[in-house]
Amino acid sequence: MGKYTVRVATGDLFLAGSPNQVQLWLVGEHGEADLGKHLRPVWGKCRLVLQVDLSAGPGNPRRGLFPLLPLGAGPQDYLPARGHWWGSWKDGLILPIAGKRQPDLPRDERFLEDKDLDFSVSLAKALKDMAIKGTLDFINCVKRLEDFKKIFPRGKTALAERVHDSWKNDAFFGYQFLNGANPMLLRRSSRLPARLVLPPGMEDLKTQLEKELQAGWISEVDFSLLDGVKPNVIIFKQQYVAAPLVMLKLQPDGRLLPMVIQLQPPRYGCPPPLLFLPSDPPMAWLLAKTWVRSSDFQLHQLQSHLLRGHLIAEVIAVATMRSLPSLHPIYKLLIPHFRYTMAINTLARSCLVSEGGIFDLVVSTGSGGHVDILQRATGCLTYRSLCPPDDLADRGLLGVKSSLYGQDAIRLWGIISRYVEGMVGLFYKSDQAMKDDLELQAWCREMTETGLQMAQDRGFPISLESRAQLCHFVTMCIFTCTGQHASNHLGQLDWYSWIPNGPCTMRKPPPISKDVTEKDIVDSLPNLHQAHMQKTVTDFLGRRQPVMVALGQHEEKYFSGPEPQAVLRQFREELAAMDKEIDVRNAVLDLPYEYLRPSMVENSVTI
């Protein structure tokens, strides 16, 4: 005779538990037995439900974990009961979860008590600080660049201090496109951009550019996505937006140096736009670079961070919750990477990029321009751009030794990929078995056609034809929710604490001459009130999270059995090895890079 012991448990968080009794059935190969209703799950306890003796074959006892389902529900029947409905925010954007506030979300998607308390208290403190100090901002003013030190945070990071000291340096300017807050825009040039119109008298520059181009040393950062975006008006004062082009040379020693900056594209019937060079008067060259930094701030926050990090992760999460039952292996593989994502995105839409939100109050692309940018960025978002091996290859940056982001992204992608392949191999023994999984195919189609709004013309799949394709797709999902977001989130406090290095707005139009003074730069940068708001929001969102689960370190055990646990253990060991190797590498670097260090990469998008 064999003995079956059944225990029921819930989590130990506040208000965890259930008022419902648990109905049990024991289902075997030749029949099933109704074991009746039994004790309710109790908060923080594992309660013995019953012990029953049935005939069973010999062998070692094994432990299995089973989720509790609503009474009478089959795997697909209970999916709508989760309450994950598609919503809408703005036309031309990918879809969010339905709901305008946290209470509108399914209960399991809201912040739990510890996260909610930390978020609320920290936000209240930040707002209080801004209200108290902000009253003085309208009295005080910035007269010199060093006056921005008035709001430079006392608890600044070592790298933020380095930014303050080195932001004017050309090599430091170029480094940020490789390893800064936004490493997603740089690409190697295959030809000189059509918009780069060289006026008479610059033949030597053209010859130099063509020579370096042939040698493969020329790269570019093109902000044309900002061209024509309507700038904000803040407290009745016009703000300004530019769409620069930067041409850079990758030196043999790995430094990336700017060669020429064009602040606006050429216009038909107008003289060629002014080109700024490193040999220009220092203040003119610095103002041109500052304009580039402000433009980079806009695309970083909207295209790289919000869209490619937050909003794509939300689509993955909602499609998964709608299409895959909790018993499905891909659901179990992905669910740890959705924690708090819908909650934080709902808060972003209601406070950060909403009408009257932070972007409208302080950012040059607020009051509608930011939505225009998101729509444009959505239209050119490709599947390949979300997969670092493809993205870096397309941008010509594979193998660039000074691209620490690129090296770490490829390494982390490989670790995640092997983890996914290990899990998928346990549950799908052939490509045909995977193709025949209707729930999986529905999930893929739901994500691409509905959540991403018919994105198949940009390379996103609507069906999965092989286990290799499934593994690549799931790896993209996990990397997006973890490494992709971390690489664009963690650098904010470092790179934007010193306001001139990443100004949220510009108060004067782009220069039309090279007769520039320090006062011209100061008058173009955010005023003290705007700078204080930028600093407050950066501090709040960029701080290290006290309630943080690192990549792969979730405590929930969604898979039972020794085989999945072995795959997870191998995943964690590889992450730990990468962490140690980055630590050793960073110890000898002038500028350490740690935004993709596994112990700092959060397991989901939570802030």
Side-chain angles (χ1 to χ4, degrees):
M1 299 292 289
K3 178 183 288 186
Y4 289 82
T5 300
V6 182
R7 299 179 185 273
V8 177
T10 66
D12 58 1
L13 295 170
F14 182 61
L15 297 181
S18 172
N20 301 312
Q21 290 184 318
V22 178
Q23 173 75 54
L24 298 173
W25 290 268
L26 192 62
V27 181
E29 183 178 358
H30 302 294
E32 63 181 61
D34 185 347
L35 304 181
K37 294 181 180 179
H38 295 275
L39 299 174
R40 298 173 175 84
V42 177
W43 170 70
K45 304 291 184 183
C46 183
R47 173 173 283 188
L48 175 66
V49 175
L50 81 163
Q51 291 181 322
V52 58
D53 287 338
L54 294 171
S55 59
N60 295 325
R62 296 188 63 181
R63 182 180 181 185
L65 300 177
F66 302 91
L68 299 180
L69 310 185
L71 186 62
Q76 283 289 353
D77 294 333
Y78 68 88
L79 285 176
R82 291 176 179 166
H84 295 79
W85 307 105
W86 292 112
S88 63
W89 180 46
K90 301 290 184 181
D91 292 341
L93 300 183
I94 58 181
L95 298 187
I97 182 76
K100 296 181 179 180
R101 304 173 302 120
Q102 257 207 96
D104 298 334
L105 301 178
R107 182 67 188 88
D108 288 346
E109 305 300 346
R110 305 173 204 168
F111 286 162
L112 294 179
E113 291 73 23
D114 52 354
K115 176 73 173 182
D116 194 42
L117 179 64
D118 170 68
F119 190 92
S120 301
V121 170
S122 300
L123 180 59
K125 182 179 181 299
L127 294 175
K128 179 182 177 182
D129 177 68
M130 187 166 61
I132 293 173
K133 296 181 179 179
T135 55
L136 301 175
D137 295 339
F138 293 101
I139 302 173
N140 300 324
C141 61
V142 176
K143 296 181 180 179
R144 300 179 304 113
L145 288 169
E146 279 302 300
D147 288 344
F148 282 103
K149 262 211 154 179
K150 296 175 182 177
I151 60 168
F152 200 38
R154 286 190 297 273
K156 54 188 172 291
T157 66
L159 183 50
E161 185 67 55
R162 181 68 177 274
V163 172
H164 165 262
D165 295 339
S166 306
W167 72 286
K168 298 178 184 179
N169 180 274
D170 281 359
F172 198 79
F173 173 83
Y175 174 90
Q176 296 182 63
F177 294 117
L178 287 166
N179 305 308
N182 184 23
M184 308 309 300
L185 301 182
L186 181 73
R187 62 177 57 247
R188 196 184 297 265
S189 303
S190 58
R191 63 182 66 86
L192 293 182
R195 63 170 282 185
L196 183 64
V197 179
L198 298 175
M202 287 195 170
E203 288 78 10
D204 289 346
L205 174 61
K206 183 177 182 181
T207 300
Q208 183 186 7
L209 285 169
E210 290 177 341
K211 178 183 176 182
E212 303 293 355
L213 184 69
Q214 292 299 317
W217 295 114
I218 297 294
S219 298
E220 65 191 72
V221 182
D222 192 342
F223 295 90
S224 291
L225 203 68
L226 296 172
D227 187 29
V229 169
K230 184 179 180 181
N232 200 359
V233 176
I234 300 175
I235 313 181
F236 308 109
K237 292 186 177 180
Q238 182 67 58
Q239 310 296 296
Y240 295 89
V241 177
L245 169 70
V246 190
M247 304 300 297
L248 307 104
K249 178 186 176 183
L250 185 64
Q251 301 288 112
D253 63 4
R255 292 181 303 153
L256 188 66
L257 299 179
M259 298 180 68
V260 59
I261 294 174
Q262 179 195 67
L263 292 182
Q264 297 283 29
R267 307 292 183 197
Y268 179 75
C270 298
L274 197 62
L275 299 182
F276 292 85
L277 307 173
S279 57
D280 286 339
M283 287 298 161
W285 179 235
L286 182 60
L287 180 55
K289 290 191 294 182
T290 303
W291 265 103
V292 172
R293 297 302 314 137
S294 182
S295 300
D296 194 44
F297 177 95
Q298 311 302 324
L299 289 193
H300 168 233
Q301 296 293 9
L302 294 168
Q303 181 181 31
S304 302
H305 188 189
L306 180 58
L307 175 61
R308 292 168 55 91
H310 284 257
L311 302 186
I312 295 292
E314 185 176 4
V315 166
I316 296 168
V318 176
T320 302
M321 300 305 291
R322 286 179 56 81
S323 302
L324 296 179
S326 59
L327 301 176
H328 198 284
I330 301 303
Y331 174 96
K332 294 180 180 182
L333 188 56
L334 290 175
I335 188 64
H337 306 293
F338 302 154
R339 183 173 183 253
Y340 297 151
T341 298
M342 299 178 206
I344 195 64
N345 284 4
T346 299
L347 284 168
R349 283 188 291 271
S350 63
C351 301
L352 191 65
V353 290
S354 59
E355 293 184 10
I358 297 297
F359 258 74
D360 285 5
L361 294 176
V362 75
V363 180
S364 61
T365 55
S367 300
H370 61 305
V371 177
D372 186 9
I373 293 169
L374 283 170
Q375 291 166 335
R376 298 179 185 196
T378 299
C380 59
L381 178 75
T382 66
Y383 180 39
R384 289 180 62 87
S385 72
L386 296 176
C387 307
D390 300 325
D391 175 57
L392 290 164
D394 292 345
R395 294 196 282 138
L397 300 180
L398 279 178
V400 175
K401 293 182 178 180
S402 53
S403 174
L404 303 177
Y405 159 78
Q407 295 172 24
D408 291 354
I410 291 292
R411 174 81 181 274
L412 187 59
W413 173 275
I415 292 173
I416 294 172
S417 179
R418 288 188 290 277
Y419 168 57
V420 172
E421 289 168 2
M423 287 296 191
V424 166
L426 294 177
F427 296 97
Y428 295 101
K429 299 305 181 183
S430 68
D431 289 346
Q432 190 61 47
M434 187 279 302
K435 290 175 64 175
D436 291 342
D437 186 336
L438 299 182
E439 293 167 337
L440 191 69
Q441 300 296 340
W443 166 70
C444 176
R445 183 178 291 272
E446 175 94 358
M447 195 183 306
T448 297
E449 289 193 341
T450 304
L452 295 175
Q453 295 285 276
M454 308 302 289
Q456 55 266 43
D457 61 338
R458 285 176 275 120
F460 289 89
I462 57 173
S463 64
L464 299 167
E465 303 299 321
S466 67
R467 286 175 295 174
Q469 187 186 15
L470 169 63
C471 290
H472 193 79
F473 192 61
V474 174
T475 300
M476 179 276 294
C477 292
I478 295 177
F479 185 85
T480 296
C481 298
T482 58
Q484 176 68 51
H485 176 253
S487 66
N488 286 283
H489 169 77
L490 291 175
Q492 295 178 99
L493 204 58
D494 293 331
W495 297 99
Y496 296 150
S497 290
W498 178 243
I499 301 299
N501 189 64
C504 62
T505 191
M506 297 293 274
R507 296 183 295 130
K508 297 291 182 182
I512 56 175
S513 82
K514 297 183 180 181
D515 183 15
V516 176
T517 65
E518 182 177 2
K519 184 178 185 302
D520 293 323
I521 299 177
V522 169
D523 290 345
S524 296
L525 289 169
N527 61 33
L528 200 58
H529 176 67
Q530 294 167 330
H532 199 104
M533 287 189 68
Q534 176 179 338
K535 176 257 183 188
T536 299
V537 174
T538 299
D539 286 356
F540 173 66
L541 296 178
R543 66 196 173 94
R544 299 295 182 257
Q545 299 300 302
V547 183
M548 186 268 198
V549 178
L551 174 59
Q553 306 308 313
H554 48 279
E555 295 181 357
E556 300 86 354
K557 295 182 179 179
Y558 295 100
F559 290 100
S560 61
E563 296 89 352
Q565 292 303 314
V567 173
L568 179 59
R569 185 165 55 251
Q570 177 66 28
F571 179 47
R572 290 172 172 169
E573 289 173 358
E574 289 194 48
L575 292 173
M578 179 178 175
D579 207 80
K580 291 180 180 178
E581 289 177 19
I582 289 178
D583 193 33
V584 171
R585 177 197 70 190
N586 285 348
V588 297
L589 288 178
D590 181 42
L591 286 171
Y593 183 79
E594 55 185 10
Y595 303 144
L596 286 174
R597 184 174 178 173
S599 61
M600 294 185 64
V601 173
E602 197 155 8
N603 209 36
S604 59
V605 179
T606 72
I607 187 66

